[in-house]
Amino acid sequence: MDSAVIPSDAELITLAQDVAAAALERRVTVATAESCTGGWIAKTLTDLAGSSAWFEAGVVSYSYSAKEALLGVNPRTLERTGAVSEETVLEMVSGALARYGAGVAVAVTGIAGPSGGTPEKPVGTVWIGWKRRGGYAHARLYHFDGDREAVRRQTVAAALVGMTDELKG
């Protein structure tokens, strides 16, 4: 999903329905920990009627202090690698799973733009992490094209696809 294909609202809802079906089938709840998407993943999931049966919690943590307080991200990780890093997203997803009691979690952190990018981490750089209770956290680096909304839409879509895979895996 590293292309510039921007998912529509209808496509995002379809991806959310896939997450819902997999969560219900496995009888687990899901949690989200979001930075660059600002709660869009949780919104898309909870737009579905009946989501209270399988949606546990969603956290939006933009600042370092919020990542530390709400998700248990180690301040040294943030100082050493920054908010947009594999290490940070792995701690975010692990924290969400541990703190909110869900069976599976997703976390996202990135640079949606239009500012904030650097040569090492340009606008469109996004880390997404997933973890299932009893499993290991894993993450993937994406480089999305487009404006702020395009980067965020693509992030939501990739997060939902990965969450379905995590639930089915």
Side-chain angles (χ1 to χ4, degrees):
M1 194 156 295
D2 281 294
S3 67
V5 176
I6 313 304
S8 67
D9 288 345
E11 290 168 324
L12 293 179
I13 289 296
T14 297
L15 294 174
Q17 289 169 335
D18 293 343
V19 171
L24 286 168
E25 182 178 321
R26 281 147 190 83
R27 294 184 173 96
V28 298
T29 58
V30 302
T32 63
E34 304 179 60
S35 187
C36 64
T37 49
W40 199 340
I41 299 166
K43 182 224 182 289
T44 301
L45 291 169
T46 60
D47 278 347
L48 301 178
S51 58
S52 60
W54 51 268
F55 185 85
E56 187 71 37
V59 174
V60 177
S61 59
Y62 258 58
S63 69
Y64 279 22
S65 61
K67 285 175 177 62
E68 294 166 20
L70 299 173
L71 298 167
V73 175
N74 188 318
R76 289 183 298 281
T77 301
L78 292 165
E79 291 168 15
R80 194 178 74 252
T81 66
V84 181
S85 68
E86 180 177 22
E87 294 85 351
T88 295
V89 84
L90 290 173
E91 289 187 25
M92 288 173 67
V93 75
S94 294
L97 200 61
R99 290 175 181 231
Y100 302 107
V104 67
V106 63
V108 299
T109 184
I111 304 165
S115 61
T118 66
E120 300 80 32
K121 296 178 185 178
V123 170
T125 301
V126 176
W127 278 99
I128 305 177
W130 301 271
K131 186 175 182 182
R132 190 173 15 180
R133 184 156 304 285
Y136 294 101
H138 59 96
R140 180 172 171 199
L141 174 62
Y142 294 83
H143 296 284
F144 295 122
D145 293 323
D147 63 10
R148 183 176 182 80
E149 180 167 343
V151 169
R152 289 166 49 130
R153 276 185 180 276
Q154 291 170 90
T155 302
V156 172
L160 293 172
V161 167
M163 184 169 269
T164 299
D165 291 345
E166 191 70 23
L167 284 160
K168 290 182 175 181

Coordinates of all heavy atoms in Angstrom, one line a residue, residues 22-23 25-31 89-90 92-98 101-107 129-139 162-169:
A22 N -13.2 -10.4 11.8 CA -12.2 -11.2 12.3 C -12.2 -11.2 13.8 O -11.9 -12.2 14.5 CB -10.8 -10.8 11.7
A23 N -12.4 -10.0 14.4 CA -12.4 -9.8 15.9 C -13.6 -10.6 16.5 O -13.4 -11.3 17.5 CB -12.5 -8.4 16.3
E25 N -15.1 -13.2 15.1 CA -14.9 -14.6 14.9 C -13.9 -15.2 16.0 O -14.1 -16.3 16.5 CB -14.3 -14.8 13.5 CG -14.1 -16.3 13.2 CD -13.5 -16.5 11.8 OE1 -14.0 -15.7 10.9 OE2 -12.6 -17.3 11.6
R26 N -12.9 -14.4 16.4 CA -11.9 -14.8 17.3 C -12.3 -14.4 18.8 O -11.5 -14.7 19.7 CB -10.6 -14.3 16.9 CG -10.0 -15.2 15.8 CD -9.1 -14.4 14.9 NE -8.8 -15.2 13.7 CZ -9.6 -15.4 12.6 NH1 -10.8 -14.8 12.6 NH2 -9.2 -16.1 11.6
R27 N -13.4 -13.7 18.9 CA -13.9 -13.3 20.2 C -12.8 -12.5 21.0 O -12.5 -12.8 22.2 CB -14.3 -14.5 21.1 CG -15.5 -15.2 20.5 CD -16.0 -16.3 21.4 NE -17.2 -16.9 21.0 CZ -17.3 -18.0 20.2 NH1 -16.3 -18.6 19.8 NH2 -18.5 -18.4 19.9
V28 N -12.2 -11.5 20.3 CA -11.3 -10.6 20.9 C -11.7 -9.2 20.7 O -12.4 -8.9 19.7 CB -9.8 -10.8 20.4 CG1 -9.3 -12.2 20.8 CG2 -9.7 -10.6 19.0
T29 N -11.2 -8.3 21.5 CA -11.4 -6.9 21.3 C -10.1 -6.2 20.8 O -9.0 -6.8 20.8 CB -11.8 -6.2 22.6 OG1 -10.8 -6.4 23.6 CG2 -13.1 -6.7 23.1
V30 N -10.3 -5.1 20.2 CA -9.2 -4.4 19.6 C -9.0 -3.0 20.2 O -9.9 -2.4 20.8 CB -9.4 -4.2 18.0 CG1 -9.6 -5.5 17.4 CG2 -10.5 -3.3 17.7
A31 N -7.7 -2.5 20.2 CA -7.4 -1.2 20.7 C -6.5 -0.5 19.6 O -5.8 -1.2 18.9 CB -6.6 -1.3 22.0
V89 N 7.0 3.0 17.9 CA 5.7 2.3 17.6 C 5.6 1.0 18.2 O 4.5 0.6 18.6 CB 5.5 2.3 16.0 CG1 6.2 1.1 15.4 CG2 4.0 2.3 15.7
L90 N 6.7 0.2 18.4 CA 6.6 -1.0 19.1 C 6.2 -0.9 20.5 O 5.4 -1.6 21.1 CB 7.9 -1.8 18.9 CG 8.2 -2.3 17.5 CD1 9.7 -2.9 17.5 CD2 7.2 -3.3 17.1
M92 N 4.5 1.7 21.7 CA 3.2 2.2 21.7 C 2.2 1.1 21.6 O 1.2 1.0 22.3 CB 2.9 3.2 20.5 CG 3.6 4.5 20.6 SD 3.4 5.5 19.1 CE 1.7 5.8 19.0
V93 N 2.4 0.1 20.6 CA 1.4 -1.0 20.5 C 1.5 -1.9 21.7 O 0.4 -2.4 22.1 CB 1.7 -1.7 19.1 CG1 2.9 -2.6 19.1 CG2 0.4 -2.5 18.7
S94 N 2.7 -2.1 22.2 CA 2.7 -3.0 23.4 C 2.0 -2.3 24.6 O 1.3 -3.0 25.4 CB 4.2 -3.3 23.7 OG 4.8 -4.1 22.7
G95 N 2.2 -1.0 24.7 CA 1.6 -0.3 25.8 C 0.0 -0.3 25.7 O -0.7 -0.5 26.7
A96 N -0.4 -0.1 24.5 CA -1.9 -0.1 24.3 C -2.5 -1.5 24.6 O -3.5 -1.6 25.3 CB -2.2 0.2 22.8
L97 N -1.8 -2.5 24.2 CA -2.3 -3.9 24.5 C -2.3 -4.2 26.0 O -3.2 -4.7 26.6 CB -1.4 -4.9 23.8 CG -2.0 -6.3 23.6 CD1 -3.3 -6.2 22.8 CD2 -1.0 -7.2 22.9
A98 N -1.2 -3.8 26.7 CA -1.1 -4.0 28.1 C -2.0 -3.2 28.9 O -2.6 -3.7 29.9 CB 0.4 -3.7 28.5
G101 N -6.4 -3.9 27.8 CA -7.0 -5.2 27.9 C -7.5 -5.8 26.6 O -8.3 -6.8 26.7
A102 N -7.1 -5.3 25.5 CA -7.6 -5.8 24.2 C -6.9 -7.1 23.8 O -5.8 -7.4 24.4 CB -7.5 -4.8 23.1
G103 N -7.4 -7.8 22.8 CA -6.7 -9.0 22.3 C -5.7 -8.7 21.2 O -4.8 -9.5 21.0
V104 N -5.9 -7.6 20.5 CA -5.0 -7.2 19.5 C -5.0 -5.6 19.4 O -6.0 -5.0 19.8 CB -5.4 -7.8 18.1 CG1 -6.7 -7.2 17.6 CG2 -4.3 -7.6 17.1
A105 N -3.8 -5.1 19.1 CA -3.7 -3.6 19.0 C -2.9 -3.2 17.8 O -2.1 -4.0 17.2 CB -3.0 -3.1 20.3
V106 N -3.2 -2.0 17.4 CA -2.4 -1.3 16.3 C -1.9 0.0 16.8 O -2.6 0.7 17.6 CB -3.2 -1.2 15.0 CG1 -4.4 -0.3 15.2 CG2 -2.4 -0.7 13.8
A107 N -0.7 0.4 16.4 CA -0.2 1.8 16.7 C 0.4 2.4 15.5 O 0.9 1.7 14.6 CB 0.8 1.7 17.8
G129 N 2.6 -0.4 13.8 CA 2.9 -1.7 14.6 C 1.7 -2.4 15.0 O 0.6 -1.8 15.2
W130 N 1.8 -3.7 15.1 CA 0.7 -4.5 15.5 C 1.1 -5.5 16.5 O 2.3 -5.9 16.6 CB 0.1 -5.3 14.3 CG -0.3 -4.5 13.2 CD1 -1.6 -4.0 13.0 CD2 0.4 -4.1 12.0 NE1 -1.7 -3.3 11.8 CE2 -0.4 -3.3 11.2 CE3 1.8 -4.2 11.7 CZ2 0.0 -2.8 10.0 CZ3 2.2 -3.7 10.5 CH2 1.3 -2.9 9.7
K131 N 0.2 -5.9 17.4 CA 0.6 -7.0 18.4 C -0.7 -7.7 18.8 O -1.7 -7.0 19.1 CB 1.2 -6.3 19.6 CG 1.8 -7.4 20.6 CD 2.5 -6.7 21.7 CE 3.1 -7.8 22.7 NZ 3.8 -7.2 23.8
R132 N -0.6 -9.0 19.0 CA -1.7 -9.8 19.5 C -1.3 -10.2 20.9 O -0.1 -10.5 21.2 CB -1.8 -11.0 18.5 CG -3.1 -11.8 18.8 CD -3.2 -12.9 17.8 NE -2.1 -13.1 17.0 CZ -1.9 -14.0 16.0 NH1 -3.0 -14.8 15.7 NH2 -0.8 -14.2 15.4
R133 N -2.3 -10.3 21.8 CA -2.0 -10.8 23.1 C -1.3 -12.1 23.1 O -1.7 -13.0 22.4 CB -3.3 -10.9 23.9 CG -3.1 -11.3 25.4 CD -4.2 -10.8 26.3 NE -4.6 -9.4 26.2 CZ -3.9 -8.4 26.8 NH1 -2.7 -8.7 27.4 NH2 -4.3 -7.2 26.7
G134 N -0.2 -12.2 23.8 CA 0.6 -13.5 23.8 C 1.6 -13.6 22.7 O 2.3 -14.5 22.6
G135 N 1.6 -12.6 21.8 CA 2.5 -12.6 20.6 C 3.5 -11.5 20.7 O 3.7 -10.8 21.8
Y136 N 4.3 -11.4 19.7 CA 5.4 -10.4 19.6 C 4.9 -9.2 18.8 O 4.2 -9.4 17.8 CB 6.6 -11.0 19.0 CG 7.2 -12.0 19.9 CD1 7.0 -13.4 19.5 CD2 8.0 -11.7 21.0 CE1 7.6 -14.4 20.3 CE2 8.5 -12.7 21.8 CZ 8.3 -14.0 21.4 OH 8.9 -15.0 22.2
A137 N 5.3 -8.0 19.2 CA 5.0 -6.8 18.5 C 5.9 -6.8 17.2 O 7.0 -7.2 17.2 CB 5.3 -5.6 19.3
H138 N 5.3 -6.3 16.1 CA 6.1 -6.2 14.9 C 5.6 -4.9 14.2 O 4.5 -4.4 14.4 CB 6.0 -7.4 14.0 CG 4.6 -7.7 13.6 ND1 4.1 -7.3 12.4 CD2 3.6 -8.4 14.2 CE1 2.8 -7.7 12.3 NE2 2.5 -8.4 13.4
A139 N 6.5 -4.3 13.4 CA 6.2 -3.0 12.8 C 6.7 -3.0 11.3 O 7.6 -3.8 10.9 CB 6.9 -1.9 13.5
G162 N -3.4 -4.5 8.1 CA -2.5 -5.2 9.0 C -3.2 -5.8 10.2 O -2.9 -6.9 10.7
M163 N -4.2 -5.1 10.7 CA -4.9 -5.6 11.9 C -5.7 -6.8 11.5 O -5.8 -7.8 12.3 CB -5.8 -4.5 12.5 CG -6.6 -4.9 13.7 SD -7.4 -3.6 14.6 CE -6.1 -3.0 15.7
T164 N -6.3 -6.8 10.4 CA -7.1 -8.0 9.9 C -6.1 -9.2 9.8 O -6.4 -10.3 10.2 CB -7.8 -7.7 8.6 OG1 -8.7 -6.7 8.8 CG2 -8.5 -9.0 8.1
D165 N -4.9 -8.9 9.2 CA -3.9 -10.0 9.0 C -3.5 -10.5 10.4 O -3.4 -11.7 10.6 CB -2.7 -9.5 8.3 CG -3.0 -9.2 6.8 OD1 -4.0 -9.7 6.3 OD2 -2.2 -8.5 6.2
E166 N -3.3 -9.6 11.4 CA -2.9 -10.0 12.7 C -4.0 -10.9 13.4 O -3.7 -11.9 14.0 CB -2.6 -8.8 13.6 CG -2.0 -9.0 14.9 CD -0.5 -9.4 14.7 OE1 0.1 -9.2 13.7 OE2 0.0 -10.1 15.7
L167 N -5.2 -10.5 13.2 CA -6.3 -11.3 13.8 C -6.5 -12.6 13.1 O -6.8 -13.6 13.8 CB -7.7 -10.5 13.6 CG -7.8 -9.3 14.6 CD1 -8.9 -8.4 14.1 CD2 -8.2 -9.9 16.0
K168 N -6.2 -12.7 11.8 CA -6.4 -14.0 11.1 C -5.2 -14.9 11.2 O -5.3 -16.1 11.1 CB -6.7 -13.7 9.7 CG -8.1 -13.2 9.5 CD -8.4 -13.0 8.0 CE -9.8 -12.5 7.8 NZ -10.2 -12.4 6.4
G169 N -4.0 -14.2 11.5 CA -2.7 -15.0 11.6 C -2.7 -15.8 12.8 O -2.2 -16.9 13.0

